[in-house]
Amino acid sequence: MKDNNITRRDFLKTAGIAAAAATVAACTSKGKAGSSQTDGLGEMTLRKNNKGEDIAILGYGCMRWPTFPPDENGQKEIDQEAVNAMVDYAIEHGVTYFDTAPIYLQGKSEAATGLALKRHPRESFTIATKLSTQRGEPTRERSLKMYYASFENLQVDYIDYYLLHSIGGGDDPMAKLKERFFDNGVLDFLVEERKAGHIRNLGWSFHGDVRVFDYMLSLHDQGKYIWDFVQIQMNYIDWKNAHTRDEEEVNAEYMYNELAKRGIPVVIMEPLLGGALAHINDHFAEQLLTREPQKSIASWAFRFCGTHPGVMCVLSGMTYMENLVDNVSTYSPLKPLNEEELAILEDIAQEYVKYPLIPCTACQYCMPCPYGINIPAVFAHYNKCLNEGFINEDTQSEQYRKARRAYLISLDRNVETIRQANHCIGCGQCISSCPQHIAIPSQMRRIDIYTEKLKRNG
Ligand code: SF4
Ligand code: SF4
């Protein structure tokens, strides 16, 4: 199969920016929002928080720090040296906002983020972390323990942005919200912490049921609880399309507009839809490359988010230096999309949603699976094959023969045999954890059937 997508690596080669990435080890912190020091880039675009403070538009999502290969138990250690180099480069190029959570990277993200940031002046960065009680018992005791542990892990005495993590999900989202934050008095406690200056900004991240979203904004409207910022999933696919297509789901345009009209700064997660928008299929990619041959496909997705003025910060979970360099380039400074460019992305989005992709963003909230299934890797492989046109129903064609072979070979390379879909027993323990509301067991079954069919048709 022909693959003429420009990859981020190709882009860097073309633009000659890769060399800059290699020099990061020697960089020093300037501690100034928006300062881009080298590489022929301009200043990074800045936005304001609700205190009028500057925030660089590119935020660092710390859920995908580089790791060493997993040990025999699937445990991954974070490559701290690589993290330090990425953080250094980010701060040197104006990034100010670092977003982590107690549950990221098997509970190791906060400490790694804290270690890397500790090497920089406190005023040169802001930290966002979260109360991640979406799994387990959300007792007051456990919640406060998690809250205080974040200060220790991050080695800070105040947290710039604190979020109620991933609200709107679960079987009964409203009951879950109340159980996690209201009935146990935890939200009132956090409001007191904000008054005391231990939290500088209080907000929440949202996935799911629009009734919860509207309820939270109604509290703000009534002055019962004031939200300093809100984090939503937004990208050009989800803009007009609710990302899980469930009845109570809501699209990003609605959420953005509701927040913008209240003047609540918006933080964006999943601007690339779990990485999918960096690798859209050739047909879509050609339309973008024709207009901007020197720019990566991912840059369009970042520009889309930045084009909306109510967006304070766009998070990207950058594992590789090439991604960081590319994103810094896109936002130094941001070139907003014009009406014609927005229309192209909307056309792509309308086509894209016709593909039966699984909306997995690789957030890992469903992991570990007690039966060892590598859920995000199974979905990522399937989506990649679908996106790249591997899946073709004409079993007699030469393209099918090649596609079949490519699918099966890359499956074994990307997902260990014992962690593939056919080992899912359908226990359903993962379902309630998924913020994208994916019916994980039935999708596993579907992928298993599909894979078996490919094996038989050989
Ligand atoms: S349903 Fe399948 S993937 Fe989900 S926890 Fe059970 S075995 Fe794992
Ligand atoms: S299946 Fe859901 S919870 Fe699991 S990684 Fe994907 S989006 Fe996250």
Side-chain angles (χ1 to χ4, degrees), residues 126-228:
T126 59
I127 286 182
T129 193
K130 312 182 181 80
L131 191 55
S132 306
T133 49
Q134 55 270 57
R135 262 185 162 182
E137 286 300 307
T139 61
R140 183 184 172 89
E141 188 188 9
R142 176 171 170 248
S143 302
L144 267 50
K145 194 172 166 195
M146 186 181 284
Y147 170 73
Y148 288 122
S150 290
F151 287 84
E152 280 183 31
N153 289 332
L154 290 162
Q155 305 187 50
V156 293
D157 51 14
Y158 63 91
I159 290 171
D160 305 271
Y161 296 87
Y162 198 73
L163 298 94
L164 314 182
H165 195 177
S166 195
I167 66 168
D171 294 337
D172 184 344
M174 195 62 85
K176 184 81 181 168
L177 174 80
K178 292 189 172 163
E179 185 191 17
R180 285 178 65 192
F181 305 113
F182 290 82
D183 300 345
N184 57 13
V186 164
L187 179 54
D188 290 330
F189 165 81
L190 294 174
V191 169
E192 290 304 313
E193 286 293 278
R194 178 171 60 183
K195 271 190 208 151
H198 302 143
I199 293 171
R200 297 198 64 237
N201 299 277
L202 184 59
W204 36 277
S205 63
F206 175 81
H207 286 283
D209 191 313
V210 67
R211 290 168 296 188
V212 172
F213 184 83
D214 290 341
Y215 175 70
M216 292 296 271
L217 291 189
S218 75
L219 296 176
H220 182 91
D221 294 343
Q222 295 159 28
K224 287 187 180 163
Y225 293 98
I226 298 300
W227 311 119
D228 301 307

Side-chain angles (χ1 to χ4, degrees), residues 359-366 375-376 379 433-436 438 440:
C360 174
T361 60
C363 69
Q364 307 263 347
Y365 293 174
C366 56
I375 301 168
F379 290 160
S433 314
C434 179
Q436 308 299 329
I438 297 169
I440 297 172

